[in-house]
Amino acid sequence: MRNRCRLGGNVHGHSISFSRDQNRRALTPPTPVPHPKGVVDWMGISANGVTKPRFVQPGTKINSKYYIEKILKPFIKDDYCRLYPNGDAVLHEDSAPSYASRVTQKFRTDRQVQLLDAKQS
């Protein structure tokens, strides 16, 4: 029964375990693999369906230009017309600077994309 006793853990995202009958000095810990600390994505969910997720590369500065070019334009091209052929979608965004900037507001207004007013949320 003693030989079945196991001690386990997690090292750099890899599961490891030791049993009493193993020589711990002979074990080699797994090689660490670097991973980003987090993932940033943009995605929409509605009664009409789900948008394609848009992932942001780690370390990318999300300014108005990036948000318009990499998020809003692909959303309008790929998802907006498919999910809302009548153009009656209303976006809900937080107050991130890239969302709230005058440049982004003008882009949405020029394309008649409605935004849920913060007072309505």
Side-chain angles (χ1 to χ4, degrees):
M1 187 66 123
R2 287 186 98 170
N3 289 342
R4 290 187 186 171
C5 181
R6 290 191 175 273
L7 171 67
N10 191 296
V11 176
H12 301 293
H14 298 278
S15 295
I16 57 170
S17 64
F18 303 100
S19 65
R20 289 188 185 270
D21 59 340
Q22 286 179 299
N23 180 348
R24 291 187 182 147
R25 292 181 194 166
L27 295 175
T28 306
T31 305
V33 177
H35 296 287
K37 292 188 186 274
V39 175
V40 177
D41 73 320
W42 186 96
M43 189 171 175
I45 301 171
S46 75
N48 295 346
V50 178
T51 68
K52 295 176 185 175
R54 275 128 184 118
F55 293 96
V56 177
Q57 292 296 320
T60 301
K61 171 82 171 138
I62 305 174
N63 56 24
S64 299
K65 181 179 179 183
Y66 183 93
Y67 182 62
I68 290 169
E69 294 297 321
K70 301 292 186 180
I71 307 294
L72 286 179
K73 281 185 178 180
F75 161 70
I76 291 169
K77 178 180 170 268
D78 299 335
D79 299 314
Y80 187 78
C81 293
R82 175 178 58 87
L83 295 172
Y84 293 93
N86 297 333
D88 57 349
V90 178
L91 294 182
H92 181 247
E93 299 173 332
D94 62 23
S95 59
S98 59
Y99 302 166
S101 75
R102 281 183 246 152
V103 174
T104 303
Q105 290 175 19
K106 181 176 180 348
F107 176 84
R108 283 192 306 260
T109 301
D110 291 349
R111 282 148 189 85
Q112 300 176 347
V113 176
Q114 296 180 52
L115 185 66
L116 184 66
D117 188 318
K119 296 172 195 162
Q120 297 171 315
S121 57

